Amino acid sequence: LDLVKNAMEFNKVWLTIALFFHFLNIVIDAYLIYRLTCSTGKKYPFKDAFKTSMVGQFFSAITPGASGGQPMQIYSMRKQGIDTGHSTSALVQKFLVYQTSITVYGAISILLKKRMFLGQVSPLAHWLSSFGSQSLVIILLFLFSFNRSITYKIIRTVFIWLEKFKLIKNVDEKISNVETQLNYFHSNNKYLYKNRKLVLEVYALTVFQLTCMFVVPYFIYRSFNLYGAKMSDMIAAQSFVTMASAFIPLPGGSGAAEGSFFAFFSMFFTESTIKSAVLLWRVMTYFLTILISAPFSGIHSRKDGKD
């Protein structure tokens, strides 16, 4: 009811800007997939990268902890003619850059804005817990990405256990295939980090992508015809919200996302607008994303157009 009442007074220009930055975030995501896949030596049209990005957006949104996004993207890319080694390399590189960037982004935000958020003790503690988890993920990803022998031993052990439980057959053949793809994967990782220009480009674009995500609440705030809050403060607050909800094992971080947003943004919105703001932000950044990415969830082959 509050949202319907406030909707009559929305500033449509600021709402349009909020939507623009949300969609710009999605376009940058697609470009990063395109850029990193092309860097592996594969020709990959941007339209295919956009489809793969939308597949990731959809399955990340509907699966616990966004766990379905990358596996479905790898499947999508395989249907488009990109082998598993190259697609895994590109997507893991992208994920590693994203995790590193968001962790550093959040750390800088808390250092610069800690006084402003000292009153938000509970959500801030949640964020710090997530910060530690993010750091652990980054360490494991670097290990997986650059230490071939440890990665191979882990995969071999998993396959042997799967064979013992009769979940797979011909384990030696499968391990041999994985080893071939693993060689592609690690050679591509080494190439990426030797190409300093590409590394700088990918990190800069990822930071810009995160900023596009984090600035959306500010434009929502302005759409309520509210003034006075600093854009930098709201960007920092949204970085906390994103980190706090990242490891909640529910689709879209449900509950934690709304709760964190309410806790951090109550200092900016009025009592009569904060609930509407939470709902509008959630509809725009989560439910709308599901709606526009759903048509891409039926993955098709580039060659035959069949599922």
Side-chain angles (χ1 to χ4, degrees):
L1 290 176
D2 286 341
L3 182 60
V4 174
K5 183 174 68 176
N6 288 317
M8 303 300 294
E9 301 175 357
F10 280 151
N11 185 313
K12 306 301 189 296
V13 174
W14 288 110
L15 268 184
T16 302
I17 295 173
L19 283 168
F20 171 78
F21 274 88
H22 178 60
F23 289 130
L24 184 57
N25 151 50
I26 293 174
V27 172
I28 295 171
D29 186 78
Y31 179 79
L32 287 169
I33 293 174
Y34 161 79
R35 189 71 179 89
L36 287 168
T37 304
C38 289
S39 75
T40 67
K42 290 288 185 178
K43 291 183 178 180
Y44 193 50
F46 179 76
K47 65 177 183 178
D48 286 350
F50 183 79
K51 291 177 183 176
T52 296
S53 175
M54 297 305 283
V55 166
Q57 297 281 346
F58 179 78
F59 285 100
S60 292
I62 66 170
T63 54
S67 57
Q70 283 193 325
M72 293 307 296
Q73 285 181 318
I74 291 171
Y75 177 69
S76 171
M77 294 174 78
R78 189 176 68 184
K79 298 284 282 185
Q80 293 168 345
I82 305 297
D83 62 74
T84 304
H86 286 87
S87 62
T88 303
S89 175
L91 292 172
V92 170
Q93 287 166 0
K94 177 177 174 293
F95 184 69
L96 180 59
V97 170
Y98 179 86
Q99 292 296 327
T100 305
S101 298
I102 196 172
T103 302
V104 174
Y105 204 123
I108 293 173
S109 294
I110 198 171
L111 287 174
L112 295 178
K113 304 292 181 179
K114 61 181 179 181
R115 289 184 179 179
M116 184 180 69
F117 294 108
L118 281 177
Q120 311 301 313
V121 177
S122 179
L124 196 56
H126 192 176
W127 181 89
L128 289 170
S129 174
S130 298
F131 178 83
S133 301
Q134 294 274 35
S135 301
L136 178 60
V137 169
I138 292 169
I139 293 170
L140 291 174
L141 279 173
F142 268 113
L143 184 65
F144 180 78
S145 298
F146 297 102
N147 193 313
R148 184 184 176 282
S149 63
I150 290 179
T151 306
Y152 178 74
K153 287 177 182 177
I154 292 172
I155 291 174
R156 182 177 177 81
T157 301
V158 170
F159 273 51
I160 290 173
W161 274 100
L162 288 174
E163 185 185 38
K164 285 183 178 180
F165 286 102
K166 302 187 184 301
L167 295 174
I168 62 172
K169 297 179 180 179
N170 304 319
V171 67
D172 290 332
E173 180 183 344
K174 285 182 170 58
I175 290 175
S176 178
N177 291 334
V178 168
E179 187 173 16
T180 301
Q181 298 299 332
L182 201 58
N183 289 332
Y184 283 132
F185 176 71
H186 284 99
S187 64
N188 289 331
N189 283 337
K190 289 179 181 178
Y191 170 77
L192 171 67
Y193 284 93
K194 285 180 181 178
N195 188 338
R196 293 182 180 179
K197 184 178 178 181
L198 178 61
V199 171
L200 182 62
E201 177 189 349
V202 171
Y203 270 99
L205 278 171
T206 301
V207 170
F208 181 57
Q209 179 192 11
L210 289 171
T211 304
C212 289
M213 292 168 54
F214 297 160
V215 79
V216 168
Y218 175 77
F219 297 125
I220 291 176
Y221 168 80
R222 294 303 304 272
S223 76
F224 281 88
N225 297 301
L226 297 173
Y227 304 88
K230 293 181 180 179
M231 181 186 291
S232 60
D233 290 345
M234 299 190 81
I235 288 174
Q238 182 56 44
S239 74
F240 296 159
V241 171
T242 301
M243 289 282 284
S245 57
F247 284 89
I248 300 301
L250 291 171
S254 297
E258 295 86 350
S260 298
F261 189 96
F262 187 92
F264 281 114
F265 283 92
S266 290
M267 68 180 76
F268 305 116
F269 289 88
T270 64
E271 187 176 344
S272 62
T273 60
I274 182 61
K275 291 180 181 178
S276 298
V278 173
L279 182 57
L280 182 58
W281 167 75
R282 196 60 166 157
V283 167
M284 185 179 295
T285 61
Y286 182 63
F287 294 107
L288 181 60
T289 300
I290 292 176
L291 184 65
I292 64 175
S293 61
F296 297 89
S297 61
I299 301 169
H300 300 284
S301 167
R302 182 196 298 172
K303 294 180 180 180
D304 56 23
K306 297 177 181 178
D307 289 337

